[in-house]
Amino acid sequence: MRQLDRTALRALMRREDERFVAARPRSAELSRAAKDSMPSGVPMSWMAKWPGAFPVFVDSAQGAHFTDVDGHRYVDFCLGDTGAMAGHSPSATVEAVDKQLARGITSMLPTEDAVAVGAELQRRFGLPYWQFTLTATDANRHVIRYARHVTRRPKVLVFDYCYHGSVDEAFATLDATGHVVARRGNIGAPVPPSETTAVAQFNDLGGLETALASGEIACVLAEPAMTNIGIVLPDPGYHQELRELTRAYGAWLIIDETHTLCAGPGGYTKAHALEPDVLVVGKSIAGGIPAAAFGLSAELSEQVQRRVELEDIDVGGIGGTLAGNALSLATIRTTLAEVLTDEAFSRMIPLGDRWADGVQGVIDAHGVPWHVTRLGCRAEYAFSPTLPRNGAEAAACDDFELQQYLHLFALNRGILLTPFHNMALMCPETTAEDVDLHTAVFEECVAELFAS
Ligand SMILES: Cc1ncc(COP(=O)(O)O)c(C=O)c1O
């Protein structure tokens, strides 16, 4: 196996940093100006995490590409970390936006689009009753509340190193002695996470059952395959056991498909015949317009309705003034009907495979101790020779310095990957040429890194 020379890596990083800055005078200028009104010169704090001395400022984005304010064109494999999985500004969605802007954006009343969207989500995911929020975070928060309210149990079970948005209960991890503690980076936790949360390792059925047997678990909140600490796939048969155990111990099974919608038009749930009690999906379903949804089984929907008084329905912690607004619903309707279609997935998924095959070829050719994982139209490489089976194993092979370098190298050659790990996502307009450009750039990068 080839070893990485850290001193050489740092020298290469300096070279790439200089190249980045020299080619982007306008982004540099905007970044300096932005610092007058925003910490780190970014509109949201995590945007400071992009590699390079400042973030690239975008001029325009279309389909699988964007152009920055210095005139460079990029292939976008980040796609707004799934927010733009439908591609940037897909024409059907833009048309729906235009139409709805002329007819009212939000009124706190339903529109006809809501009926069509509810029916389409039923068809795709198999759950009968749907509600809408602006973000997947809110959808997760709401269903957790319902689960606690109905089961009268205090805790949410999550998997170690999961991410479900800025949901307090999910920022927990296991320490070396197996106790639930705040995850590194968890800021201002309202209470110690051990009061609200149980944590199990993904793919560990014994640990899951022990936690469920405590009788404290209102719900299990899970991505069907983990995607936020690299990709961690479920063992064969894992989901069947997860379903049986949650049923046996009376905990709701909430499947968060916000990222795993990449597995197909009905997400991982449809592709693998899962039977969640609740399903959450967000980010991409309205083509980038803020919108998310959660679906409930008939039984749980009935239980929720029975336990919430009409007079209190607006003050129970479920809601949001703009939730379910007319613009969100119009754009979900069009994006699902015309952009993220069955046919689009049948083109996107083979491109995900093409990307992964390209990366695997480079890994094999250079004997590098890394692996690549695929999940529908999403794929990801990570810095261990074998696939991790859980979040802790995936976290153990994290290498922030190396990752920043690979991303900066790619950025300097016209390719954007997600800032948080090494993920690539295909949209309906991604092409084989886009994918092959990544393979060529990755080859160049790895060959140089492991040259000695
Ligand atoms: C699986 C999953 N669920 C929920 C969310 C939260 O989405 P949002 O930030 O749009 O609320 C994310 C964000 O990355 C996610 O990956």
Side-chain angles (χ1 to χ4, degrees):
M1 289 281 176
R2 311 296 296 275
Q3 292 301 316
L4 189 65
D5 175 348
R6 292 279 160 182
T7 311
L9 173 63
R10 278 165 210 148
L12 291 171
M13 188 71 171
R14 281 193 293 280
R15 181 195 72 190
E16 293 300 318
D17 266 327
E18 283 163 19
R19 176 173 172 162
F20 178 87
V21 171
R24 292 169 183 80
R26 182 67 184 140
S27 274
E29 196 180 317
L30 289 172
S31 174
R32 273 192 299 276
K35 284 180 181 156
D36 288 345
S37 60
M38 290 173 280
S40 306
V42 287
M44 176 39 69
S45 52
W46 43 250
M47 287 188 200
K49 205 171 173 182
W50 288 102
F54 43 79
V56 166
F57 280 66
V58 175
D59 179 51
S60 64
Q62 183 64 58
H65 299 93
F66 73 94
T67 305
D68 71 14
V69 290
D70 289 289
H72 306 292
R73 188 170 186 263
Y74 302 82
V75 180
D76 189 356
F77 288 113
C78 168
L79 293 169
D81 195 18
T82 311
M85 191 171 88
H88 292 291
S89 295
S91 56
T93 308
V94 171
E95 213 174 288
V97 169
D98 286 345
K99 267 197 203 144
Q100 196 58 44
L101 289 184
R103 301 173 71 214
I105 298 165
T106 189
S107 62
M108 272 196 159
L109 287 166
T111 54
E112 198 176 319
D113 289 324
V115 184
V117 170
E120 174 62 5
L121 293 175
Q122 278 179 348
R123 183 190 76 81
R124 287 199 182 216
F125 299 109
L127 286 164
Y129 293 111
W130 291 86
Q131 295 279 272
F132 298 90
T133 58
L134 290 185
T135 65
T137 299
D138 276 349
N140 281 325
R141 284 193 189 126
H142 293 357
V143 294
I144 287 171
R145 267 187 188 271
Y146 280 144
R148 283 204 174 105
H149 185 57
V150 170
T151 64
R152 299 179 200 284
R153 296 177 181 178
K155 288 189 181 171
V156 176
L157 187 144
V158 296
F159 292 101
D160 206 11
Y161 287 96
C162 68
Y163 184 78
H164 296 280
S166 46
V167 174
D168 285 326
E169 291 87 342
F171 289 114
T173 189
L174 294 171
D175 70 10
T177 57
H179 290 103
V180 174
V181 293
R183 183 179 169 163
R184 175 178 159 189
N186 179 346
I187 295 167
V191 294
S194 57
E195 291 180 23
T196 61
T197 306
V199 179
Q201 293 296 349
F202 198 65
N203 281 324
D204 172 14
L205 290 166
L208 173 69
E209 181 156 18
T210 303
L212 288 170
S214 69
E216 295 184 304
I217 309 300
C219 57
V220 172
L221 173 61
E223 283 193 282
M226 299 183 80
T227 66
N228 284 299
I229 185 75
I231 295 172
V232 182
L233 299 174
D235 288 343
Y238 178 72
H239 273 290
Q240 203 182 334
E241 298 284 339
L242 171 62
R243 181 61 281 192
E244 281 171 18
L245 285 170
T246 43
R247 278 207 181 107
Y249 288 99
W252 291 21
L253 178 58
I254 303 167
I255 291 289
D256 182 349
E257 290 272 10
T258 301
H259 277 181
T260 47
L261 184 59
C262 63
Y268 196 96
T269 290
K270 193 60 178 260
H272 296 268
L274 306 190
E275 295 175 3
D277 298 307
V278 183
L279 186 143
V280 167
V281 65
K283 291 201 181 186
S284 60
I285 56 171
I289 296 293
F294 58 92
L296 294 167
S297 69
E299 186 192 339
L300 296 190
S301 175
E302 193 273 325
Q303 289 183 22
V304 167
Q305 292 213 311
R306 207 154 21 88
R307 286 179 167 81
V308 178
E309 296 290 333
L310 184 61
E311 193 177 342
D312 303 324
I313 209 162
D314 54 332
V315 291
I318 310 285
T321 309
L322 299 178
N325 72 76
L327 182 63
S328 294
L329 269 302
T331 47
I332 300 175
R333 181 179 187 174
T334 302
T335 305
L336 294 184
E338 297 181 42
V339 187
L340 289 176
T341 57
D342 295 10
E343 189 271 331
F345 276 98
S346 71
R347 281 181 290 111
M348 289 149 69
I349 291 173
L351 285 173
D353 283 329
R354 188 181 182 104
W355 191 93
D357 288 343
V359 169
Q360 189 67 59
V362 173
I363 289 173
D364 292 344
H366 293 275
V368 176
W370 302 350
H371 70 268
V372 61
T373 315
R374 42 192 95 196
L375 181 61
C377 64
R378 174 187 306 266
E380 169 130 17
Y381 59 82
F383 309 125
S384 69
T386 52
L387 268 62
R389 282 192 58 241
N390 59 47
E393 283 181 23
C397 68
D398 204 9
D399 187 332
F400 186 61
E401 182 182 42
L402 177 58
Q403 175 189 295
Q404 291 292 90
Y405 175 71
L406 286 153
H407 288 217
L408 188 60
F409 188 98
L411 203 53
N412 278 336
R413 289 154 187 82
I415 288 173
L416 188 78
L417 298 161
T418 72
F420 311 130
H421 33 106
N422 308 306
M423 190 272 287
L425 188 64
M426 313 298 135
C427 74
E429 290 177 70
T430 308
T431 63
E433 290 71 41
D434 296 333
V435 170
D436 295 347
L437 176 67
H438 176 268
T439 305
V441 167
F442 185 67
E443 157 73 33
E444 186 188 337
C445 184
V446 169
E448 186 182 48
L449 260 181
F450 291 90
S452 53

